[in-house]
Amino acid sequence: YITNTTMDIAEIEERFASFKPTRKTSTNHQYGIQISKLTKDLSITDVSGLLITEPIMEYVKSKSFSSQANAHNSIMEYLKTYENKDYDETIEYHKKQKDLCYEVYYNNNKKGIFIGNQAENVVSYDEMINYYKQICKIVISNDYKNNPCVSPTNGSSSPARDYLNLRLLVRLYILHPSRNEYATLELISPQEFQKIQYPMKNYLIYSPKKGSFLSINVYKMMDKYGPKMILIEDKELKSHIRFHKNKFGYGHMFLKQNMKPHTNTTLSVLMTHYAKKLIGKSVGSTLIYKISIAEISKKYKQALEDEDLDDMSKYKEDLQKFADTRGHSFSVQQAIYAKE
């Protein structure tokens, strides 16, 4: 292979889109990221390199089983776009590997414990709340609220923007835990939102009088569960949103230090980077969700043991809200995410 040449992510995404126009752009983008990174790391310059399974298997085996499954699925879907019968055997191979990885993943999840990297990075619910409070203290002690957040010399952002993003994001994920679709949130007024006939993005509608809310229209289970509408009720979170609107205005909410919008992937990196820096653990959106669910599930099960119907009702309602926000059923939540 020519090691200084890589497969272009834009061309990869375009191939996915042309082959299956009905597929979501976000899905094509995630496939593109997977294929682009894998081919770059293995110095693969064209599709022929993806037909050699041994180096790919060696490359993915150190990853979690869910990540392995995603890699196999991306390769499988990419090879399909060529509609070449000579690729069928390799496609079937990756399909088999994907199914096996998911089997192990779901079996491990049924055990009700944190596994793999999550086990190494899990913190208690109280520690997670303290992590959020630590972010708030850093914002105050460094006066980041009054920081211009943009370098006067090169136009890039300072760490102030990262910490202001984190303060809002971590609070949002604790109260309304979801996947990384918050990365692409756009802040918009109710008047502008009403003009959108078919919402095709993820929005935070800022309405201090009638109540701000999330409109999530691009996420993994959208086809099954439809758009998610989530009312923001927490006073502290409302305050963070109001501050964000006054300081940064409407538009894409979460920008990187180079002032470009975050993607799902870069937001995940941001969250785990600062968590590692501040508390020594790589805590991202999925782990926040599992920690929150574990805490409430523990209280729900205790209420069940105590035959306390009021607490049972309260905690089950909270768990159902979390399931709705995440975009899956209560049974899936308890089977996959309610860890001990």
Side-chain angles (χ1 to χ4, degrees):
Y1 302 120
I2 303 171
T3 56
N4 63 351
T5 305
T6 57
M7 295 174 67
D8 182 68
I9 188 171
E11 291 179 7
I12 294 170
E13 290 184 36
E14 177 59 33
R15 174 170 283 277
F16 278 122
S18 299
F19 177 70
K20 193 174 182 180
T22 57
R23 185 156 45 205
K24 293 178 188 174
T25 302
S26 58
T27 302
N28 291 333
H29 182 60
Q30 291 305 312
Y31 284 161
I33 290 172
Q34 287 267 1
I35 296 296
S36 179
K37 183 173 185 347
L38 183 147
T39 54
K40 180 181 179 181
D41 290 348
L42 294 178
S43 299
I44 293 173
T45 59
D46 58 41
V47 67
S48 64
L50 293 174
L51 300 175
I52 306 171
T53 57
E54 289 83 358
I56 293 173
M57 288 299 295
E58 186 67 26
Y59 174 79
V60 302
K61 72 178 184 181
S62 63
K63 302 180 183 296
S64 68
F65 284 105
S66 61
S67 295
Q68 289 185 49
N70 289 337
H72 288 301
N73 189 56
S74 297
I75 295 169
M76 180 183 75
E77 292 297 328
Y78 184 70
L79 293 177
K80 284 180 183 178
T81 66
Y82 284 85
E83 301 183 87
N84 187 330
K85 289 188 179 296
D86 291 340
Y87 298 171
D88 287 354
E89 185 178 342
T90 308
I91 291 171
E92 185 58 33
Y93 174 83
H94 284 291
K95 181 182 184 304
K96 180 180 178 181
Q97 292 301 317
K98 178 196 75 170
D99 292 344
L100 289 171
C101 288
Y102 274 135
E103 250 184 87
V104 175
Y105 171 73
Y106 287 120
N107 183 61
N108 284 337
N109 273 295
K110 285 177 183 177
K111 296 175 183 176
I113 57 174
F114 290 100
I115 55 178
N117 290 335
Q118 289 182 349
E120 298 170 4
N121 290 295
V122 68
V123 297
S124 70
Y125 184 79
D126 286 342
E127 287 173 318
M128 188 170 66
I129 296 300
N130 287 334
Y131 166 51
Y132 163 72
K133 290 180 179 178
Q134 190 176 348
I135 294 168
C136 292
K137 287 179 181 177
I138 290 172
V139 168
I140 293 170
S141 64
N142 290 279
D143 197 26
Y144 282 153
K145 291 176 72 172
N146 295 311
N147 189 296
C149 294
V150 178
S151 168
T153 55
N154 60 19
S156 65
S157 176
S158 73
R161 181 121 198 180
D162 281 353
Y163 278 104
L164 291 170
N165 282 342
L166 277 172
R167 185 182 64 164
L168 196 161
L169 277 166
V170 174
R171 186 75 181 176
L172 181 61
Y173 273 115
I174 289 173
L175 295 170
H176 303 284
S178 191
R179 297 178 177 84
N180 284 331
E181 59 258 19
Y182 292 160
T184 57
L185 277 177
E186 292 191 13
L187 194 65
I188 189 172
S189 69
Q191 294 79 13
E192 290 301 313
F193 183 67
Q194 287 176 359
K195 295 177 184 178
I196 303 172
Q197 189 172 4
Y198 302 107
M200 301 294 287
K201 297 179 181 179
N202 295 329
Y203 299 99
L204 198 164
I205 295 83
Y206 176 68
S207 179
K209 293 182 179 179
K210 294 185 177 180
S212 298
F213 62 95
L214 294 164
S215 173
I216 306 300
N217 307 284
V218 183
Y219 70 102
K220 185 177 179 181
M221 302 299 288
M222 170 68 181
D223 291 342
K224 184 172 182 178
Y225 294 105
K228 297 186 291 185
M229 305 291 280
I230 304 153
L231 182 64
I232 304 295
E233 298 179 290
D234 178 67
K235 289 183 179 179
E236 197 165 338
L237 181 55
K238 286 180 179 179
S239 174
H240 294 338
I241 294 168
R242 182 171 60 252
F243 168 82
H244 191 98
K245 185 264 176 187
N246 291 337
K247 188 170 183 67
F248 302 116
Y250 292 113
H252 203 294
M253 291 188 69
F254 302 116
L255 301 181
K256 297 181 285 185
Q257 287 193 32
N258 62 6
M259 302 306 289
K260 293 181 179 179
H262 271 292
T263 64
N264 292 11
T265 303
T266 61
L267 186 80
S268 179
V269 170
L270 173 83
M271 293 185 70
T272 55
H273 167 75
Y274 279 99
K276 188 75 173 178
K277 179 179 179 179
L278 296 177
I279 59 174
K281 301 284 187 177
S282 297
V283 179
S285 59
T286 297
L287 199 50
I288 289 177
Y289 182 73
K290 290 185 176 183
I291 293 166
S292 300
I293 292 303
E295 178 72 12
I296 301 175
S297 293
K298 183 169 64 177
K299 293 177 180 178
Y300 170 69
K301 290 171 184 175
Q302 186 60 55
L304 192 63
E305 287 292 320
D306 296 341
E307 299 180 358
D308 186 330
L309 300 185
D310 289 338
D311 276 357
M312 280 174 60
S313 176
K314 175 184 180 299
Y315 293 130
K316 187 164 185 178
E317 184 178 334
D318 289 341
L319 289 168
Q320 185 61 62
K321 284 181 180 178
F322 277 18
D324 292 343
T325 300
R326 180 82 176 182
H328 56 217
S329 66
F330 177 79
S331 59
V332 167
Q333 176 199 79
Q334 292 299 297
I336 303 298
Y337 296 100
K339 304 301 182 189
E340 296 177 357

